[in-house]
Amino acid sequence: MSISRDEVLHVARLARLELSEAEVERFQEQLSAILDAVSKVQELDLSGVPPTSHPLEVVNVWREDEPRRSLGVEEALANAPDRAGDLFKVPPA
Amino acid sequence: MSLDTLRLTAEEANVLLSAGEVSSDELFAAYRAAIDERDPELHAFLHVCEPDGGSGLPIAIKDVIGTRGIPTTAGSKLLENYVPVFDSTVASHCKARGLRILGKTNTDEFAMGSSTENSAYGPTRNPWDPERVPGGSGGGSAAAVSAGLAPWALGSDTGGSIKQPSALCGNVGLRPTYGTVSRYGVVAFASSLDQVGPVAKTVRDCAFLYSVIAGRDACDSTTVDAPEVELPTVEDLRGVRIGVPKELNEAEGIEPGVSDAVRAAIDLAAGLGAEVEECSLPRSVEYGLACYYLVAPAEASSNLARYDGVRFGVREDGADFREMVMRTRSGGLGDEPKRRIMIGAYALSAGYFDAYYGKAQQVRTVIKREHEELFERFDCIASPTSPTVAFRIGEKAASPLAMYLSDLLTIPSCMAGMPGLSIPCGLAGGLPVGLQLVGPQFAENALFRVGHALERALGFDGVPERLR
């Protein structure tokens, strides 16, 4: 298969996903099939073709560094799964 | 007065409202009644709102679009408890015009899918045949409009998620020129592709709703000025040059019924005075899917990294931070987002970047250039929107690749940032067929003009037969 088991585990780790054994096997098969299909991009002669990362020819948008109204602390913490005072609380590192 | 929400267009409703023949509350109540009656079967809505402020028409909003104080789940369990504290810019624009939010519509999880079967909350059913899908990812919005549950709706389109459901449900959907509608407050899937757009019963309604939401936004630096909308009135196509790309119209997998209906519509366009000519997109269709399914997942792997259980959303406990994050993401994300995140991470990873993502970016340039060349000769190009009519629920669920093929015809122009309009052009086996009109960047008015004239000439009845 185009993607090895180790590679599946590697990208899963990069993406902070933990997979069951059954999932690793299933995803390995599916990702390999997808990779085979998308590898088609390598068929073309693309020498001299610049990459497009953005569909419009736009340039950076600037504004003056003036403070403006922002979210208050209560709003910012409104969806917090856990909080301690004005802080988001998470398990220790 | 008795309102037939199945037939009423937004424009007609507005006329009644302005004439004082119906009140905003009565309109809202009529659509709520329709939802109560038909949505238990269709499941177009994830959340239905109580009437609250506003003096205008109701509108349904796809659940990837942030709405202050109204749950926004993006079709995912991860955001089951997420209630935004701010409005997306598009929601703000709607409210500023007095539009009233009816509810949030169902979507494939994180807008990833072509059938709405990837929603963590169950699929939406096609109003034309409830055993079939409404398309995706914006199946909820399309089903709501076609079933008379909302006069119009907002959807979002990355690789066809507005156009394809509109085709499968028999209504009108616009994917705007990239950058003309703000993405601020919209759950991000692929930032160089995502666009919010209107779903409605008619081209004029679509055009009007586009004018409500479009425009440069200080909160989204990828926005630019949108074209000033001209509501279409002309019913002929004299002087319009329409290209018919061979590769989009004769691709493998296009059902004969779809092909016939689209061909008939294109012939009708010629009858209305358009200059119709065959043309070619030599590589855009052949390499479009591969390009998209590298670029979009790569961008998604970055955009979905924020779902870590720290600041919002559902959190799974863990002994330490890393375990908490892994459990949260693994438990809360469905298979399709996981697949796309992993393909994306792979395509971007050291050693593979040039061969996959790098190449895809170059192919994107090729696709953009091929389209630009065509638009030197044509005002728009025409093709089917979807290779097939609505397929059965479960039919493509086992094969991710089979599902991806649904986007074959919508994807190429998305890669080029170009606008596309899908209008219903007929039936095949009793199910709607969509005609896709694509134009160069900022050509929305040209699309509205062509779409409107064809719509009037076709006289397609957008009310599902079983609901008439």
Side-chain angles (χ1 to χ4, degrees), chain B residues 240-284:
Chain B
V240 176
R241 304 163 301 165
I242 300 179
V244 183
K246 204 158 39 80
E247 297 81 359
L248 278 177
N249 283 275
E250 294 168 22
E252 197 184 307
I254 297 181
E255 289 172 346
V258 168
S259 201
D260 290 345
V262 167
R263 188 76 243 172
I266 292 174
D267 289 343
L268 185 58
L272 291 172
E275 289 165 41
V276 177
E277 198 184 309
E278 205 181 69
C279 57
S280 176
L281 283 167
R283 283 156 305 197
S284 299

Short mmCIF file of all heavy atoms in Angstrom, two decimals, chain B residues 240-284:
data_model
loop_
_atom_site.label_atom_id
_atom_site.label_comp_id
_atom_site.label_asym_id
_atom_site.label_seq_id
_atom_site.Cartn_x
_atom_site.Cartn_y
_atom_site.Cartn_z
N VAL B 240 -24.58 36.99 -25.68
CA VAL B 240 -23.87 36.24 -24.65
C VAL B 240 -23.13 35.06 -25.29
O VAL B 240 -23.70 34.33 -26.09
CB VAL B 240 -24.86 35.71 -23.58
CG1 VAL B 240 -24.13 34.84 -22.58
CG2 VAL B 240 -25.54 36.88 -22.88
N ARG B 241 -21.87 34.90 -24.94
CA ARG B 241 -21.06 33.81 -25.49
C ARG B 241 -20.88 32.74 -24.41
O ARG B 241 -20.29 33.00 -23.36
CB ARG B 241 -19.69 34.33 -25.93
CG ARG B 241 -19.75 35.47 -26.94
CD ARG B 241 -18.41 36.21 -27.00
NE ARG B 241 -18.04 36.75 -25.68
CZ ARG B 241 -16.82 37.17 -25.37
NH1 ARG B 241 -15.83 37.09 -26.26
NH2 ARG B 241 -16.56 37.66 -24.16
N ILE B 242 -21.42 31.56 -24.71
CA ILE B 242 -21.35 30.46 -23.74
C ILE B 242 -20.46 29.34 -24.26
O ILE B 242 -20.67 28.83 -25.37
CB ILE B 242 -22.75 29.89 -23.46
CG1 ILE B 242 -23.67 30.99 -22.89
CG2 ILE B 242 -22.67 28.72 -22.47
CD1 ILE B 242 -25.10 30.52 -22.62
N GLY B 243 -19.48 28.97 -23.47
CA GLY B 243 -18.58 27.88 -23.84
C GLY B 243 -19.08 26.58 -23.22
O GLY B 243 -19.64 26.57 -22.13
N VAL B 244 -18.88 25.48 -23.94
CA VAL B 244 -19.30 24.17 -23.43
C VAL B 244 -18.05 23.28 -23.41
O VAL B 244 -17.70 22.66 -24.42
CB VAL B 244 -20.38 23.54 -24.34
CG1 VAL B 244 -20.84 22.21 -23.75
CG2 VAL B 244 -21.56 24.49 -24.49
N PRO B 245 -17.33 23.27 -22.28
CA PRO B 245 -16.08 22.50 -22.24
C PRO B 245 -16.36 21.00 -22.36
O PRO B 245 -17.14 20.45 -21.58
CB PRO B 245 -15.49 22.86 -20.88
CG PRO B 245 -16.22 24.08 -20.41
CD PRO B 245 -17.58 23.98 -21.01
N LYS B 246 -15.70 20.41 -23.30
CA LYS B 246 -15.88 18.98 -23.57
C LYS B 246 -15.66 18.15 -22.30
O LYS B 246 -16.44 17.27 -21.97
CB LYS B 246 -14.83 18.58 -24.63
CG LYS B 246 -15.16 17.38 -25.44
CD LYS B 246 -14.39 17.36 -26.77
CE LYS B 246 -12.95 17.84 -26.71
NZ LYS B 246 -11.97 16.89 -26.25
N GLU B 247 -14.58 18.45 -21.59
CA GLU B 247 -14.18 17.62 -20.47
C GLU B 247 -15.18 17.69 -19.31
O GLU B 247 -15.36 16.72 -18.58
CB GLU B 247 -12.79 18.02 -19.98
CG GLU B 247 -11.69 17.81 -21.00
CD GLU B 247 -11.59 18.92 -22.03
OE1 GLU B 247 -12.40 19.87 -21.98
OE2 GLU B 247 -10.70 18.85 -22.90
N LEU B 248 -15.83 18.85 -19.15
CA LEU B 248 -16.83 18.98 -18.09
C LEU B 248 -18.15 18.33 -18.47
O LEU B 248 -18.93 17.93 -17.63
CB LEU B 248 -17.10 20.46 -17.78
CG LEU B 248 -16.14 21.20 -16.86
CD1 LEU B 248 -16.56 22.66 -16.74
CD2 LEU B 248 -16.08 20.57 -15.48
N ASN B 249 -18.42 18.26 -19.78
CA ASN B 249 -19.72 17.76 -20.24
C ASN B 249 -19.72 16.29 -20.62
O ASN B 249 -20.77 15.68 -20.71
CB ASN B 249 -20.22 18.61 -21.41
CG ASN B 249 -20.79 19.95 -20.93
OD1 ASN B 249 -21.95 20.05 -20.55
ND2 ASN B 249 -19.94 20.96 -20.92
N GLU B 250 -18.50 15.76 -20.87
CA GLU B 250 -18.45 14.35 -21.29
C GLU B 250 -17.61 13.52 -20.33
O GLU B 250 -17.12 12.46 -20.70
CB GLU B 250 -17.88 14.27 -22.71
CG GLU B 250 -18.79 14.90 -23.75
CD GLU B 250 -18.11 15.09 -25.10
OE1 GLU B 250 -17.11 14.39 -25.36
OE2 GLU B 250 -18.57 15.95 -25.87
N ALA B 251 -17.44 14.00 -19.12
CA ALA B 251 -16.62 13.26 -18.15
C ALA B 251 -17.22 11.89 -17.87
O ALA B 251 -18.45 11.70 -17.93
CB ALA B 251 -16.49 14.05 -16.85
N GLU B 252 -16.34 10.96 -17.54
CA GLU B 252 -16.80 9.62 -17.18
C GLU B 252 -17.61 9.71 -15.89
O GLU B 252 -17.24 10.42 -14.97
CB GLU B 252 -15.59 8.73 -16.95
CG GLU B 252 -15.90 7.25 -16.97
CD GLU B 252 -14.66 6.43 -16.65
OE1 GLU B 252 -13.62 6.64 -17.31
OE2 GLU B 252 -14.73 5.59 -15.74
N GLY B 253 -18.73 9.00 -15.87
CA GLY B 253 -19.53 9.00 -14.65
C GLY B 253 -20.75 9.90 -14.72
O GLY B 253 -21.59 9.87 -13.81
N ILE B 254 -20.85 10.71 -15.77
CA ILE B 254 -22.05 11.56 -15.90
C ILE B 254 -23.19 10.68 -16.40
O ILE B 254 -23.09 10.01 -17.43
CB ILE B 254 -21.82 12.72 -16.90
CG1 ILE B 254 -20.71 13.64 -16.37
CG2 ILE B 254 -23.11 13.51 -17.10
CD1 ILE B 254 -20.42 14.83 -17.28
N GLU B 255 -24.28 10.67 -15.64
CA GLU B 255 -25.44 9.84 -16.00
C GLU B 255 -26.09 10.37 -17.28
O GLU B 255 -26.16 11.59 -17.48
CB GLU B 255 -26.47 9.84 -14.88
CG GLU B 255 -26.02 9.06 -13.64
CD GLU B 255 -26.97 9.21 -12.46
OE1 GLU B 255 -27.82 10.12 -12.47
OE2 GLU B 255 -26.81 8.43 -11.51
N PRO B 256 -26.59 9.47 -18.14
CA PRO B 256 -27.22 9.90 -19.40
C PRO B 256 -28.37 10.90 -19.19
O PRO B 256 -28.49 11.87 -19.93
CB PRO B 256 -27.76 8.60 -19.99
CG PRO B 256 -26.95 7.53 -19.37
CD PRO B 256 -26.55 8.01 -18.01
N GLY B 257 -29.18 10.67 -18.17
CA GLY B 257 -30.31 11.58 -17.90
C GLY B 257 -29.84 12.98 -17.58
O GLY B 257 -30.46 13.98 -17.97
N VAL B 258 -28.73 13.07 -16.85
CA VAL B 258 -28.14 14.37 -16.50
C VAL B 258 -27.63 15.05 -17.77
O VAL B 258 -27.90 16.23 -18.02
CB VAL B 258 -26.99 14.18 -15.49
CG1 VAL B 258 -26.19 15.47 -15.33
CG2 VAL B 258 -27.54 13.74 -14.14
N SER B 259 -26.91 14.28 -18.55
CA SER B 259 -26.35 14.79 -19.79
C SER B 259 -27.45 15.33 -20.72
O SER B 259 -27.32 16.41 -21.28
CB SER B 259 -25.61 13.64 -20.47
OG SER B 259 -24.69 14.11 -21.38
N ASP B 260 -28.54 14.57 -20.84
CA ASP B 260 -29.65 14.97 -21.71
C ASP B 260 -30.27 16.28 -21.25
O ASP B 260 -30.53 17.18 -22.05
CB ASP B 260 -30.72 13.88 -21.75
CG ASP B 260 -30.26 12.64 -22.50
OD1 ASP B 260 -29.25 12.72 -23.23
OD2 ASP B 260 -30.91 11.58 -22.33
N ALA B 261 -30.54 16.37 -19.96
CA ALA B 261 -31.21 17.57 -19.43
C ALA B 261 -30.32 18.81 -19.62
O ALA B 261 -30.81 19.88 -19.98
CB ALA B 261 -31.54 17.38 -17.95
N VAL B 262 -29.03 18.64 -19.39
CA VAL B 262 -28.11 19.77 -19.53
C VAL B 262 -27.97 20.17 -20.99
O VAL B 262 -27.96 21.36 -21.34
CB VAL B 262 -26.73 19.41 -18.91
CG1 VAL B 262 -25.66 20.42 -19.30
CG2 VAL B 262 -26.86 19.35 -17.39
N ARG B 263 -27.88 19.18 -21.85
CA ARG B 263 -27.78 19.44 -23.29
C ARG B 263 -29.00 20.23 -23.76
O ARG B 263 -28.89 21.20 -24.53
CB ARG B 263 -27.70 18.10 -24.04
CG ARG B 263 -27.40 18.22 -25.51
CD ARG B 263 -25.96 18.53 -25.78
NE ARG B 263 -25.82 19.84 -26.42
CZ ARG B 263 -24.66 20.45 -26.64
NH1 ARG B 263 -23.54 19.87 -26.26
NH2 ARG B 263 -24.62 21.61 -27.25
N ALA B 264 -30.17 19.83 -23.30
CA ALA B 264 -31.41 20.51 -23.70
C ALA B 264 -31.39 21.96 -23.23
O ALA B 264 -31.81 22.87 -23.95
CB ALA B 264 -32.61 19.78 -23.11
N ALA B 265 -30.87 22.19 -22.03
CA ALA B 265 -30.80 23.55 -21.50
C ALA B 265 -29.83 24.40 -22.30
O ALA B 265 -30.08 25.58 -22.56
CB ALA B 265 -30.41 23.53 -20.02
N ILE B 266 -28.72 23.81 -22.69
CA ILE B 266 -27.72 24.54 -23.48
C ILE B 266 -28.29 24.88 -24.85
O ILE B 266 -28.10 25.98 -25.38
CB ILE B 266 -26.40 23.74 -23.57
CG1 ILE B 266 -25.74 23.66 -22.19
CG2 ILE B 266 -25.45 24.36 -24.59
CD1 ILE B 266 -24.52 22.77 -22.11
N ASP B 267 -29.04 23.93 -25.44
CA ASP B 267 -29.71 24.20 -26.72
C ASP B 267 -30.72 25.33 -26.57
O ASP B 267 -30.87 26.19 -27.45
CB ASP B 267 -30.42 22.94 -27.24
CG ASP B 267 -29.43 21.87 -27.71
OD1 ASP B 267 -28.25 22.23 -27.94
OD2 ASP B 267 -29.83 20.69 -27.83
N LEU B 268 -31.41 25.33 -25.45
CA LEU B 268 -32.38 26.39 -25.17
C LEU B 268 -31.67 27.74 -25.11
O LEU B 268 -32.18 28.75 -25.62
CB LEU B 268 -33.09 26.10 -23.84
CG LEU B 268 -34.21 27.03 -23.41
CD1 LEU B 268 -35.31 27.07 -24.46
CD2 LEU B 268 -34.79 26.56 -22.07
N ALA B 269 -30.49 27.77 -24.49
CA ALA B 269 -29.72 29.00 -24.42
C ALA B 269 -29.41 29.53 -25.83
O ALA B 269 -29.50 30.73 -26.10
CB ALA B 269 -28.41 28.77 -23.65
N ALA B 270 -29.05 28.60 -26.71
CA ALA B 270 -28.79 28.99 -28.10
C ALA B 270 -30.06 29.57 -28.71
O ALA B 270 -30.04 30.58 -29.42
CB ALA B 270 -28.30 27.80 -28.91
N GLY B 271 -31.18 28.93 -28.41
CA GLY B 271 -32.47 29.40 -28.90
C GLY B 271 -32.82 30.80 -28.40
O GLY B 271 -33.54 31.56 -29.05
N LEU B 272 -32.27 31.15 -27.24
CA LEU B 272 -32.53 32.47 -26.67
C LEU B 272 -31.56 33.52 -27.22
O LEU B 272 -31.58 34.68 -26.80
CB LEU B 272 -32.42 32.41 -25.14
CG LEU B 272 -33.52 31.63 -24.41
CD1 LEU B 272 -33.18 31.47 -22.93
CD2 LEU B 272 -34.87 32.33 -24.55
N GLY B 273 -30.70 33.10 -28.12
CA GLY B 273 -29.82 34.06 -28.77
C GLY B 273 -28.36 33.97 -28.39
O GLY B 273 -27.54 34.73 -28.90
N ALA B 274 -28.02 33.04 -27.48
CA ALA B 274 -26.61 32.95 -27.08
C ALA B 274 -25.77 32.31 -28.19
O ALA B 274 -26.26 31.47 -28.94
CB ALA B 274 -26.49 32.12 -25.81
N GLU B 275 -24.51 32.72 -28.25
CA GLU B 275 -23.55 32.05 -29.14
C GLU B 275 -22.94 30.92 -28.33
O GLU B 275 -22.21 31.17 -27.38
CB GLU B 275 -22.43 32.99 -29.56
CG GLU B 275 -22.86 34.09 -30.50
CD GLU B 275 -21.77 35.18 -30.57
OE1 GLU B 275 -20.57 34.84 -30.59
OE2 GLU B 275 -22.15 36.37 -30.55
N VAL B 276 -23.27 29.70 -28.69
CA VAL B 276 -22.80 28.54 -27.94
C VAL B 276 -21.74 27.82 -28.73
O VAL B 276 -21.90 27.56 -29.92
CB VAL B 276 -23.99 27.58 -27.66
CG1 VAL B 276 -23.49 26.33 -26.94
CG2 VAL B 276 -25.05 28.29 -26.82
N GLU B 277 -20.63 27.51 -28.09
CA GLU B 277 -19.54 26.87 -28.81
C GLU B 277 -18.81 25.88 -27.91
O GLU B 277 -18.60 26.15 -26.72
CB GLU B 277 -18.56 27.96 -29.24
CG GLU B 277 -17.61 27.57 -30.35
CD GLU B 277 -16.62 28.71 -30.61
OE1 GLU B 277 -17.08 29.86 -30.79
OE2 GLU B 277 -15.41 28.44 -30.59
N GLU B 278 -18.42 24.78 -28.47
CA GLU B 278 -17.66 23.80 -27.70
C GLU B 278 -16.26 24.33 -27.45
O GLU B 278 -15.71 25.09 -28.26
CB GLU B 278 -17.59 22.48 -28.45
CG GLU B 278 -17.39 21.29 -27.51
CD GLU B 278 -17.29 19.95 -28.24
OE1 GLU B 278 -16.29 19.73 -28.96
OE2 GLU B 278 -18.21 19.14 -28.09
N CYS B 279 -15.68 23.94 -26.32
CA CYS B 279 -14.32 24.37 -26.02
C CYS B 279 -13.67 23.31 -25.15
O CYS B 279 -14.24 22.23 -24.96
CB CYS B 279 -14.34 25.73 -25.30
SG CYS B 279 -15.31 25.72 -23.78
N SER B 280 -12.49 23.63 -24.64
CA SER B 280 -11.76 22.60 -23.90
C SER B 280 -11.05 23.13 -22.65
O SER B 280 -10.53 24.25 -22.64
CB SER B 280 -10.73 21.95 -24.84
OG SER B 280 -9.94 21.01 -24.15
N LEU B 281 -11.06 22.31 -21.63
CA LEU B 281 -10.26 22.54 -20.42
C LEU B 281 -9.35 21.32 -20.32
O LEU B 281 -9.67 20.36 -19.61
CB LEU B 281 -11.16 22.63 -19.18
CG LEU B 281 -11.93 23.92 -18.96
CD1 LEU B 281 -12.99 23.72 -17.88
CD2 LEU B 281 -10.98 25.06 -18.53
N PRO B 282 -8.23 21.34 -21.03
CA PRO B 282 -7.44 20.12 -21.23
C PRO B 282 -7.03 19.40 -19.95
O PRO B 282 -7.06 18.18 -19.91
CB PRO B 282 -6.21 20.62 -21.98
CG PRO B 282 -6.60 21.92 -22.57
CD PRO B 282 -7.65 22.50 -21.69
N ARG B 283 -6.67 20.15 -18.92
CA ARG B 283 -6.17 19.47 -17.72
C ARG B 283 -6.97 19.75 -16.45
O ARG B 283 -6.85 19.00 -15.49
CB ARG B 283 -4.70 19.85 -17.50
CG ARG B 283 -3.78 19.09 -18.44
CD ARG B 283 -2.48 19.83 -18.63
NE ARG B 283 -2.71 21.19 -19.10
CZ ARG B 283 -1.77 21.95 -19.65
NH1 ARG B 283 -0.57 21.48 -19.81
NH2 ARG B 283 -2.05 23.18 -20.02
N SER B 284 -7.82 20.79 -16.47
CA SER B 284 -8.50 21.20 -15.24
C SER B 284 -9.41 20.13 -14.66
O SER B 284 -9.51 19.98 -13.44
CB SER B 284 -9.35 22.46 -15.49
OG SER B 284 -8.52 23.52 -15.88
#
